[in-house]
Every structure is written in C-alpha cells, then in structure tokens.
C-alpha cells in the first residue's frame, strides 16, 4: 500500500484522514496486512458461517 | 499488604485489624510506593476511608458481607464508578465523572470491597504501552498492556485485588509481566455493563490478585447474569472455593505444541515446560492436542479489534476537538480500523467459528490446555519492535499471540507465576472449557500451593 492508494480508499469510502496521518497509517496497515494476507489466503469450508452473535454454551 | 484476602478477612473478624486500618495501610503503601511505579490514575483516599469506617461499623452491628468485607481493591479506569473519575486512560474522557456504577463494581461494593482508586491503563485500552506505569519488578519495563496499572497495583501491594479488562490478553498479559494471577473468565460469565467498550465481542472483565484463591473470591463476587448486559450468560455460577483444593490427580492437560511453543524466548519455554512437568508430578497427565488454524487467530483479532475499536470511538473521531485529544499512536490505530474491509472482518468471524469447533474437538480428550502466557518477559517501556529467536515483530503482535485465541473462542484462561528470567516474572496460562473456571482455578491453585513463586515480592519500598 502507498499513500496514494490510501487516499483513494479513504476518498471512496468517504473517510476523512488528516494529511499528516497518511504516512504513519500506510506503515501501520502494511504491517497489519502481513498478518491479514495469510488469513485472506486461508481456504475456509464453504458452509462455515461467521460468528455474528457470541454466546458460548457449556460443552459436554 | 502482601497477605492473602483470606488472611486479611480472618484478621478483620478476629479484631486484629479493622477495615479502616487495612485501608489506611493500603493508602500508606500508595503514598510510599506509587510515586515510583505510577500504577494509579486516581486515588480516592477520603472515599476509601469513609467506606472502610462504615464497613467496620457494620461488622460491629453483626453485618458481615463475606470474604471481601473491608478488603481494599483497585479498578481499571474504564470501569464506571459513580462519583469517581472514569477517563478510559484518555484525554478525550478527561474530567469525566461516572454517573452510575458498572455492575462489577456494584457487586464488589455490595460484597464489602473498598475502592482505593482507579488504575492507570493504555489510552482507551488500545496499543502496547501503558504510560506512565512502570513494572514493579523493573520500573523501566512495561507492566503489560492495557490493564498494566491493575497488575502493577496488585504486584506492588497497593491493594489485595484489582479488576482489569481483557480484549486480546489484557488481564493475563499484565498478570504475567507483573508476576501475579490474572483471570479472564468465559465470555458472558461476568457482566460488562458500565465498562467502556473497545471490542464488544472480545471484551472480558476479570480479576488480578496475588493468590489464586483471592482471584476466585473476586470472581465469585462479580460473576453471574445481568439483565443490563445483553451478552451476559445465565449459566449458574458454582462455588469456586468448594473445589479449588481438589488437586490435579488424573486431570488431562492438553499441549498444543504447534503455535503455542513456537518463537518464544528459550528461558520462557524451559520455565513453562518445567511447570508442566511439575503438574505431572502432582498427578496430571499430559496429552498432545491440536487446534487447527490457531495461528490465524492474531490476524482475526486484529481485524475484529481494529474495526470494532474504530466503531466504538466513531463519535469522538468525527469530532475535531475530541479527535485532537487522542495521542498520535492511538488515533492511528483507531483510524486504521476504518480500513478493515467487511469481507476481512467476516472472514475473521468465520475463522472464529472454526477455532471454537477445533477447541471443542480438542477438549474431548483433555480437561485443560496449558501454554506460556507470553513468548517473552516484560519488555522495555516504549519498545515497539522485539526480536524473539531472530524474528523481529511488533510488540503488540508478540504479546497477543498466545492469549488472543482464548478471546476469540471465549474460553476461560488464567495466568499464574511460574518462574523468573533475569528477575522478571514468567506466566503459565491455563485455559478451560466454556464456564470451566472452577477447573482452571483448581489447576492454578494446585500449582501455586506446591511452588513458591507467588511468595516473591518486587522491590518497591518507598
């Protein structure tokens, strides 16, 4: 990711990001993306539903 | 101030010390030591003295509220406490005084606990640093992440117990860094009503204490359903003290070697392995288990936490005056959450279900899981990158690696001190099935009762 990419995404999403925050945000997101890319590449079963309401129940 | 809650409670009832004297001792300790470690963001001296006097008066009239009657405690600064500032560790909330009590504080107060003050915390409970608090074992080092003030206050003997909040590990991490017990209960076991949110589906409230039994006493007081928290569970709360001394004979310990014993400091690994061997000598059996995909937990936690924290602070981020009051690193973390795509967030939530199913399957053959709490000991304050076994990583990622899977799965987990490396404490993490707090407390107690790590105290004489 670079500053121009981030500005475009922010603009598309209607998000306001201060000019001085752009570079540090790019650096942070780059680091975060290292972790996230692996998750993105993980193949999950098609029938696996997301957790949308979280309420653990006792197990046997 | 370094005795157990049980011993202090006994002394109060025998008339050897009054609640007022115990509270005065806590406040003296704060005055003598806290200038060095700066664990507390707010000290309620007058409120504590008055509460303790009322509790002494009650005892004289024969009203006994139980084991916490007259016991000094500390709350993290994101827990609403009527009439006392609750600032969430941030200038954004500076000067804010609570208008009501969080359920956890109401329950502790009704159980007779005395509030000494509010513990310092990471700004809005986000990020890796807990300025300005120092670790009582080495004030140049961190006390752990967001509940660092709570961990430092307990370790330094400013109180008998403290409450912290744990979104990715923030009760267990300061527990391990400060050499005390830190317990994250099952999601839903303890109400979060009146606790300022960071990540709704990951936030937990739990106790930090110097003894396992002390943590159990506090958990007993705060656990149970609460209509004001929509995520609160209605499951019955067992009497934790009833089984806490039952030992570990025949208990099956699961070891997930993959992931939980990868990329950690050698001395942390050898110490934790010795602790596990010790549990075997007490009669437990060790069995290999595997929770598939657990290594993706950190990415999932980051996606969920970044997005949720950004949403939780949306109102303030949109207000230019409030926005300017966040420190730069925290504002950036909150802004970064706006760039987590919905598809990534949902993939993280799908992974979460996979992890829960994997753990459920693993727990068919074992009763508990045991891991190191952290791959490293307390790092230097302000340090952003750490190097472990030749691999450099952000300290936030390093410290969350072993703890955050249990937030995703909502499972109870406790850390107990199990050794030291260069004078800094190491924690052993014990995790259980949903609502299995009694089992993990039992294991933690068996370990503590047969070792002496918990008897060491940091050098913090004022």
């Amino acid at each position: 990711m670079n500053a121009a990419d981030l500005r475009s995404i922010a603009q598309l999403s209607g998000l306001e990001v201060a000019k001085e925050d752009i570079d540090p945000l790019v650096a942070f997101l780059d680091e975060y993306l290292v972790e996230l890319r692996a998750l993105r590449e993980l193949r999950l079963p098609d029938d696996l539903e997301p957790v949308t309401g979280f309420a653990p129940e006792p197990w046997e | 101030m370094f005795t157990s809650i049980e011993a202090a409670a006994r002394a109060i009832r025998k008339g050897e010390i009054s609640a007022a004297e115990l509270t005065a001792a806590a406040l003296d300790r704060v005055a003598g030591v806290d200038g060095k470690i700066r664990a507390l963001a707010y000290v309620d001296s007058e409120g504590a003295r008055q509460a303790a006097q009322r509790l002494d008066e009650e005892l004289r009239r024969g009203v006994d509220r139980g084991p916490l009657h007259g016991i000094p405690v500390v709350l993290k600064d994101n827990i609403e406490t009527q009439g006392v500032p609750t600032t969430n560790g941030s200038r954004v909330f500076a000067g804010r005084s609570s208008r009501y009590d969080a359920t956890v504080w109401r329950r502790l107060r009704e159980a007779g606990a005395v509030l000494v003050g509010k513990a310092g915390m990471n700004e809005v409970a986000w990020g890796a640093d807990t300025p300005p608090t120092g670790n009582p074992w080495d004030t140049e080092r961190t006390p752990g992440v967001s509940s660092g003030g709570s961990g430092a206050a307990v370790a330094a003997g400013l109180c008998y117990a403290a409450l912290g909040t744990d979104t990715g590990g923030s009760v267990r991490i300061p527990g391990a860094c400060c050499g005390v017990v830190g317990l994250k209960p099952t999601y839903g076991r303890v109400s979060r009503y009146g606790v300022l949110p960071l990540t709704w589906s990951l936030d937990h409230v739990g106790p930090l204490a110097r003894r396992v039994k002390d943590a159990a006493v506090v958990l007993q007081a705060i656990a149970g359903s609460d209509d004001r928290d929509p995520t609160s569970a209605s499951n019955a709360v067992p009497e934790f003290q009833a089984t806490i001394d039952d030992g570990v004979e025949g208990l099956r310990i699961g070891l997930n070697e993959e992931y939980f014993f990868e990329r950690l400091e050698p001395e942390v690994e050898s110490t934790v392995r010795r602790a596990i061997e010790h549990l075997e000598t007490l009669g437990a059996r060790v069995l290999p288990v595997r929770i598939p995909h657990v290594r993706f937990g950190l990415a999932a936690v980051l996606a969920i936490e970044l997005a949720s924290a950004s949403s939780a602070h949306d109102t303030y981020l949109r207000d230019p005056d409030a926005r300017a009051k966040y420190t730069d690193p925290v504002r950036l973390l909150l802004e970064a959450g706006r760039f987590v795509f919905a598809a990534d967030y949902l993939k993280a939530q799908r992974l979460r279900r996979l992890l829960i199913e994997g753990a459920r399957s693993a727990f068919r053959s074992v009763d508990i899981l045991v891991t190191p709490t952290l791959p490293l000991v307390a790092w230097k304050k302000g340090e952003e990158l750490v190097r472990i076994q030749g691999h450099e990583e952000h300290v936030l990622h390093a410290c969350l690696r072993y703890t955050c899977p249990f937030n995703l799965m909502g499972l109870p987990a406790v850390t107990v001190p199990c050794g030291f490396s260069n004078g800094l404490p190491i924690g052993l993490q014990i995790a259980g099935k949903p609502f299995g707090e009694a089992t993990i407390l039992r294991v933690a107690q068996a370990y503590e009762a047969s070792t002496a790590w918990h008897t060491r105290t940091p050098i913090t004489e004022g």
Side-chain angles (χ1 to χ4, degrees):
Chain A
M1 183 177 285
N2 58 41
D5 289 343
L6 189 74
R7 259 190 230 105
S8 309
I9 298 167
Q11 207 168 9
L12 269 174
S13 321
L15 303 172
E16 281 177 34
V17 180
K19 208 186 282 179
E20 66 271 19
D21 284 352
I22 294 279
D23 287 337
L25 261 176
V26 167
F28 175 82
L29 289 168
D30 270 345
E31 209 169 330
Y32 158 69
L33 282 170
V34 172
E35 292 292 334
L36 191 66
R37 269 187 208 114
L39 179 63
R40 280 179 181 164
E41 282 162 20
L42 177 67
R43 179 80 192 264
L44 296 176
D46 290 347
D47 60 354
L48 185 73
E49 290 209 14
V51 171
T52 47
F54 194 37
E57 292 291 334
W59 296 340
E60 69 282 352
Chain B
M1 287 303 297
F2 286 96
T3 58
S4 66
I5 288 178
E6 192 184 16
R10 203 168 41 239
I12 289 174
R13 274 149 197 84
K14 280 185 176 174
E16 292 166 0
I17 192 167
S18 65
E21 287 166 338
L22 198 62
T23 298
L27 292 170
D28 282 351
R29 183 85 184 147
V30 171
V33 170
D34 203 36
K36 225 185 260 180
I37 58 170
R38 303 177 73 185
L40 300 186
Y42 178 80
V43 182
D44 188 18
S45 308
E46 202 41 48
R49 282 195 190 96
Q50 286 175 9
Q53 281 164 9
R54 278 196 304 274
L55 289 159
D56 280 332
E57 178 56 31
E58 280 188 3
L59 272 184
R60 280 194 286 275
R61 285 189 281 113
V63 178
D64 188 337
R65 293 172 182 256
L68 287 172
H69 193 119
I71 301 296
V73 301
V74 157
L75 303 178
K76 187 172 175 176
D77 195 25
N78 58 356
I79 298 173
E80 298 279 17
T81 318
Q82 191 170 20
V84 168
T86 300
T87 73
N88 209 9
S90 174
R91 285 203 307 137
V92 175
F93 301 92
R96 178 179 177 281
S97 198
S98 300
R99 285 172 293 172
Y100 66 101
D101 285 334
T103 296
V104 285
W105 168 234
R106 179 176 58 76
R107 288 178 175 173
L108 279 181
R109 182 170 47 71
E110 288 172 358
V114 175
L115 181 67
V116 171
K118 305 294 279 285
M121 57 181 281
N122 283 16
E123 183 176 3
V124 308
W126 214 172
D129 222 352
T130 319
T133 308
N135 189 314
W137 296 92
D138 176 351
T139 53
E140 296 301 309
R141 290 180 182 264
T142 181
V145 284
S146 73
S147 305
S150 300
V154 170
L158 310 185
C159 57
Y160 279 84
L163 291 187
T165 56
D166 189 316
T167 302
S170 299
V171 163
R172 291 157 290 156
I173 295 167
C177 286
C178 295
V180 298
V181 178
L183 192 159
K184 180 196 86 65
T186 308
Y187 187 82
R189 174 64 99 189
V190 172
S191 168
R192 297 168 308 132
Y193 173 74
V195 178
L196 300 179
L198 180 68
T199 302
W200 296 279
S201 71
L202 296 172
D203 292 342
H204 300 66
V205 184
L208 292 115
R210 285 184 299 275
R211 300 284 188 278
V212 174
K213 285 186 177 177
D214 293 353
V217 165
V218 174
L219 179 65
Q220 195 78 58
I222 62 175
S225 71
D226 177 14
D227 292 342
R228 285 171 292 190
D229 177 353
T231 65
S232 169
S234 56
N235 306 63
V237 181
E239 286 292 326
F240 299 117
Q241 301 289 349
T243 52
I244 203 163
D245 286 316
D246 284 358
V248 296
E249 182 72 46
L251 200 96
R252 300 163 304 169
I253 296 176
L255 268 200
N256 195 122
E257 291 274 354
E258 186 187 319
Y259 187 74
F260 287 109
F261 286 86
E262 287 174 3
R263 230 167 68 216
L264 68 167
E265 288 178 353
E267 205 165 343
V268 172
E269 178 172 4
S270 57
T271 301
V272 168
R273 288 196 188 277
R274 271 198 303 278
I276 294 166
E277 285 165 15
H278 181 75
L279 287 171
E280 280 185 289
T281 68
L282 298 177
R285 277 191 300 142
V286 175
L287 298 165
V289 292
R290 183 169 177 267
I291 302 174
H293 308 302
V294 70
R295 68 177 64 255
F296 297 98
L298 179 62
V301 157
L302 288 174
I304 297 166
E305 196 164 347
L306 282 166
S308 303
S310 182
S311 174
H313 286 267
D314 185 60
T315 306
Y316 307 103
L317 287 171
R318 286 174 190 281
D319 173 350
D321 291 339
R323 191 174 169 281
K325 290 178 184 167
Y326 291 105
T327 59
D328 288 349
V330 168
R331 193 185 65 254
L332 286 171
L333 278 170
L334 294 172
E335 284 181 339
R338 294 170 156 186
F339 297 95
V340 174
F341 298 123
D344 292 330
Y345 178 87
L346 285 167
K347 187 148 191 184
Q349 292 290 66
R350 291 174 73 205
L351 178 89
R352 203 166 172 181
R353 189 176 298 281
L354 206 60
L355 293 184
I356 292 167
E357 289 308 316
R360 185 178 187 144
S361 176
F363 269 104
R364 288 200 178 99
S365 58
V366 297
D367 301 299
I368 56 161
L369 294 178
V370 172
T371 80
T373 308
L374 290 168
L376 72 175
V377 292
W379 54 97
K380 290 216 169 111
K381 285 189 337 189
E383 203 165 31
E384 280 194 7
L385 296 171
V386 290
R387 182 172 285 278
I388 305 173
Q389 291 193 343
H391 180 93
E392 193 172 68
E393 64 184 315
H394 195 284
V395 72
L396 187 63
H397 296 194
C399 73
L400 293 176
R401 271 199 271 133
Y402 298 159
T403 52
C404 74
F406 300 103
N407 295 73
L408 285 170
M409 298 185 282
L411 303 181
V414 62
T415 182
V416 282
C418 69
F420 286 79
S421 172
N422 294 323
L424 296 167
I426 295 169
L428 174 73
Q429 180 171 236
I430 303 159
K433 298 176 189 177
F435 303 100
E437 286 86 359
T439 306
I440 61 171
L441 283 165
R442 203 177 106 201
V443 178
Q445 172 62 20
Y447 183 79
E448 182 188 279
S450 55
T451 54
W453 305 115
H454 61 285
T455 61
R456 291 199 194 180
T457 51
I459 305 162
T460 52
E461 295 306 322

